[in-house]
Amino acid sequence: MRPVVTVRPARPDDADAMASVHVESWQQTYRGLMRDEVLDDPDLLPARRRFWRAVLTEERYGSFRAAVAVDDDTVVGIALAGPATDPDVTWDAQLYVLYLLEAFHGSGAGHGLMNAVLPGGDSAALWVADPNPRAQAFYAKQGFEPDGVVKVEDGVSEVRLVRTEARVDPGN
């Protein structure tokens, strides 16, 4: 049986739990793509805590939208979208974060998180690790397509995906 989760806007008191999900999902998803010393760095969790506290409390992130997926009062997924920063922007927003603990893949929480931070199917872009077939398939269902732009950041190859129309799959 699939877990049942709810999605809601993130609150400042979610920051530490969001950091934990961020780090754990990276470790689950990127092992073999990202260097182990990055994933196992003891400073990774404190750095993610500082990041999420800033996102949820500082005015400079006021135009960003953050959401959490919660299962029985436990944060199991996170998402963050905001203004696009790529120099060739032609879309409304950028999805910066969408991570879900592995046990909740296929639960519908990813779709809920995306809708919470990109309401109404805004045109948007995101960067996704390559290869990452599960995430790439999920984003394709949400109307995202590669636009041909790639980059390598911290040794990880990434592909930019863009959604130009409000086409969204109602499921996961």
Side-chain angles (χ1 to χ4, degrees):
M1 188 166 122
R2 285 186 174 172
V4 176
V5 298
T6 57
V7 174
R8 62 167 172 76
R11 304 181 303 242
D13 63 337
D14 292 322
D16 289 350
M18 293 173 78
S20 294
V21 167
H22 202 155
V23 170
E24 188 175 340
S25 64
W26 272 20
Q27 291 169 338
Q28 293 171 343
T29 303
Y30 297 134
R31 187 74 64 191
L33 287 177
M34 193 178 279
R35 296 186 331 270
D36 286 347
E37 52 268 17
V38 172
L39 295 172
D40 299 329
D41 184 337
D43 292 328
L44 184 57
L45 182 59
R48 294 293 87 195
R49 284 184 182 137
R50 287 189 299 276
F51 170 77
W52 285 110
R53 287 176 187 155
V55 165
L56 298 173
T57 61
E58 294 181 10
E59 188 176 312
R60 65 185 166 133
Y61 292 102
S63 61
F64 284 70
R65 291 183 289 261
V68 293
V70 179
D71 175 53
D72 196 28
D73 294 327
T74 301
V75 174
V76 299
I78 58 176
L80 177 68
T85 58
D86 288 345
D88 55 346
V89 171
T90 59
W91 45 86
D92 299 323
Q94 185 143 336
L95 181 66
Y96 290 100
V97 172
L98 198 156
Y99 293 114
L100 194 60
L101 296 180
E102 197 169 61
F104 294 86
H105 289 179
S107 68
H111 180 75
L113 285 165
M114 179 166 289
N115 284 340
V117 299
L118 292 175
D122 293 347
S123 66
L126 61 95
W127 290 94
V128 63
D130 188 40
N132 189 345
R134 182 178 188 91
Q136 290 172 355
F138 169 79
Y139 292 127
K141 285 183 180 180
Q142 310 307 312
F144 286 87
E145 298 176 344
D147 71 350
V149 179
V150 297
K151 68 179 178 180
V152 176
E153 200 167 279
D154 294 325
V156 177
S157 178
E158 296 179 74
V159 175
R160 187 169 67 188
L161 305 180
V162 176
R163 180 176 71 194
T164 56
E165 299 176 17
R167 184 186 129 234
V168 226
D169 181 6
N172 190 17

